[in-house]
Amino acid sequence: MAVIPTQTDYDLVQMKVRNTRIKVDVLNFNFQTVNSLEGYVTDGSISVDATSDIRRTCNLTLAIERSDKMISPGGELWLDKFIRIYEGIDNPRDNGNTVWWNMGVFLINNPNTVYNVNTRTVSFEGLDLMAKLTGRRNGQLPAVATVVYAGSKIADVVKQTITQLGGFEKYIIEDVGYTIPYDIKKDMGSTIYDLLVEIRDLYSDWEMFFDVDGVFHWQQIPDGENEPVVVNFDQLNQPLVISDSIDVDFENVKNNIIVYGRLLDSGEQVMATAKDTIESSPYNIDKIGQINYIVDDERIYNNDLAAQRARYELFLHARMNDAIVLEVVPIYWLNDVNIKINYTNEKIGIAGEYLIKSLEIPLGISSSMTINAVKVYPDEPTITKGN
């Protein structure tokens, strides 16, 4: 999901003094706004994680007079409602009018268990719309078995699943011509999410998620190489980075991926390898030696799929460990992952372009924002198919 900030967006987050606001719109199940809770929010945060299918979650604390007004049938915090959160900053160059940024659409989860009668607050978590497909809210498949037949076009199956079974009308589905290689059957008790996960995992490095506008996306995971830099922290007028660090999990670093797939009737072993041979990578085989990671998966039925899987596993075990953590002054419009940034701190070895993989965005007044990002390299690893 591309973030395209305006000059006003850049200017507002660089102000030394901000007047911030939070607004929570209450939506019905047709996603129509039925109420606004501006001024109720006292604390909270939003988490965004590219490695999770429920990509966007939130925690909110609201100041209220009586819980039975909100947490009851027909109330704002009930099963038939969604919420949409906005964060805003007053613009002194526009007569103090507030510039609002959409932070996402969420299902309300378990509000009545944490009502505090002394402080008159209620806290609850919010889950993005993927939760509606998981069974947490009406995501189970019909009582009869659901079958997707071999040869079906994946893009068409995903569209039908989202619209006919999930009830969603807004979607962006990338189509590269992939098909279902074998019949997929889901029995009673399975969920729409279970079906989509099995289809997604047929081919490596694909993702599905709902964006801040509640639009379903099905696409290949971006590597950041051809993406524009959205924020260059080195060129801002005001420094926004509070602290930085390099985040490495040595136990998880692997630079030589070997994937074994199906043993074919011809006796050929499906396989592929991916090696970190990128010259500037800290995990280059020539620099630290060869650290193997072996995958054995009978569902991989040709060498092309094995190569895809090898490349993806190398990304997980090399690039995802070539990471930085930035604590920054909140940038509310920078509210999605797989967005490219640029940052330099040569004293600790940080330099270049990075792809955001997770965010922790505060809704409180004095908290900072946390960015986790991985290094983007223009060079490719070495991929070998077959023996």
Side-chain angles (χ1 to χ4, degrees):
M1 182 71 179
V3 173
I4 306 176
T6 65
Q7 187 58 51
T8 298
D9 292 337
Y10 280 111
D11 293 341
L12 289 175
V13 298
Q14 294 181 84
M15 291 194 307
K16 293 182 178 180
V17 178
R18 303 177 177 183
N19 186 19
T20 60
R21 301 180 185 275
I22 303 169
K23 179 173 64 173
V24 178
D25 282 353
V26 180
L27 315 177
N28 61 23
F29 254 54
N30 293 318
F31 298 100
Q32 298 168 323
T33 302
V34 296
N35 199 1
S36 181
L37 303 179
E38 184 177 353
Y40 281 73
V41 178
T42 61
D43 198 8
S45 64
I46 294 174
S47 299
V48 192
D49 187 348
T51 65
S52 174
D53 292 325
I54 299 181
R55 174 164 290 192
R56 194 173 297 267
T57 61
C58 72
N59 287 282
L60 288 182
T61 298
L62 306 180
I64 62 176
E65 293 182 1
R66 291 176 55 186
S67 65
D68 58 359
K69 287 186 177 181
M70 283 193 173
I71 311 171
S72 61
E76 284 86 353
L77 306 180
W78 199 244
L79 290 168
D80 60 341
K81 301 294 193 306
F82 298 106
I83 59 170
R84 178 182 282 120
I85 301 174
Y86 293 92
E87 184 79 32
I89 298 178
D90 292 347
N91 186 359
R93 297 182 179 179
D94 186 26
N95 299 316
N97 291 322
T98 305
V99 176
W100 295 103
W101 297 287
N102 178 14
M103 308 301 287
V105 181
F106 303 87
L107 280 79
I108 300 165
N109 203 38
N110 296 332
N112 60 324
T113 59
V114 287
Y115 175 63
N116 187 317
V117 295
N118 296 317
T119 60
R120 294 186 177 181
T121 61
V122 59
S123 298
F124 62 91
E125 67 174 341
L127 309 172
D128 75 20
L129 298 183
M130 189 67 73
K132 193 172 183 292
L133 305 178
T134 65
R136 297 198 190 194
R137 198 80 92 246
N138 196 33
Q140 286 191 313
L141 292 165
V144 295
T146 299
V147 180
V148 179
Y149 292 102
S152 301
K153 194 174 181 180
I154 284 181
D156 293 340
V157 172
V158 172
K159 177 182 176 181
Q160 293 168 5
T161 302
I162 285 297
T163 57
Q164 298 177 17
L165 297 177
F168 290 102
E169 298 178 353
K170 297 179 180 180
Y171 52 84
I172 298 175
I173 298 172
E174 187 175 328
D175 183 6
V176 296
Y178 286 157
T179 58
I180 304 291
Y182 52 80
D183 292 352
I184 296 176
K185 180 180 178 182
K186 292 298 178 185
D187 295 322
M188 180 176 61
S190 296
T191 65
I192 300 169
Y193 173 76
D194 294 333
L195 176 59
L196 290 172
V197 166
E198 183 161 350
I199 295 172
R200 182 201 60 195
D201 291 349
L202 291 170
Y203 298 90
S204 298
D205 73 359
W206 281 73
E207 63 180 358
M208 60 178 178
F209 62 93
F210 283 88
D211 65 20
V212 293
D213 296 313
V215 177
F216 176 83
H217 290 252
W218 180 279
Q219 64 184 40
Q220 285 188 289
I221 299 172
D223 59 14
E225 182 178 342
N226 297 315
E227 301 296 324
V229 172
V230 174
V231 181
N232 188 336
F233 285 96
D234 301 337
Q235 296 180 355
L236 296 177
N237 296 325
Q238 294 292 332
L240 298 183
V241 176
I242 300 169
S243 68
D244 52 25
S245 61
I246 295 175
D247 185 20
V248 182
D249 178 3
F250 281 174
E251 293 185 8
N252 196 40
V253 171
K254 315 293 179 185
N255 59 12
N256 185 57
I257 310 298
I258 306 169
V259 174
Y260 295 103
R262 187 177 302 175
L263 182 62
L264 303 178
D265 293 339
S266 63
E268 178 189 355
Q269 174 68 62
V270 171
M271 72 169 297
T273 61
K275 300 177 183 290
D276 189 347
T277 54
I278 298 174
E279 184 175 350
S280 55
S281 169
Y283 310 131
N284 182 301
I285 287 177
D286 294 333
K287 294 180 180 179
I288 66 170
Q290 184 168 295
I291 307 174
N292 295 334
Y293 184 76
I294 298 174
V295 176
D296 186 4
D297 190 341
E298 282 287 317
R299 295 174 300 176
I300 300 173
Y301 57 89
N302 63 43
N303 290 335
D304 288 337
L305 288 177
Q308 288 182 27
R309 179 67 175 275
R311 180 189 295 272
Y312 181 59
E313 293 291 345
L314 187 64
F315 172 79
L316 294 178
H317 292 281
R319 297 290 70 78
M320 286 291 284
N321 281 292
D322 191 358
I324 61 172
V325 180
L326 302 180
E327 180 188 3
V328 304
V329 177
I331 306 171
Y332 297 116
W333 45 262
L334 188 64
N335 58 12
D336 213 342
V337 289
N338 290 327
I339 303 299
K340 192 158 71 174
I341 61 175
N342 189 90
Y343 177 66
T344 302
N345 183 354
E346 295 180 350
K347 293 180 180 179
I348 62 172
I350 298 175
E353 297 178 347
Y354 293 82
L355 197 66
I356 296 175
K357 302 311 290 185
S358 68
L359 296 166
E360 188 73 22
I361 307 169
L363 299 177
I365 296 175
S366 59
S367 300
S368 57
M369 174 176 172
T370 302
I371 297 173
N372 291 271
V374 300
K375 186 71 177 288
V376 176
Y377 291 94
D379 302 323
E380 288 287 321
T382 300
I383 307 294
T384 304
K385 300 178 185 179
N387 293 315

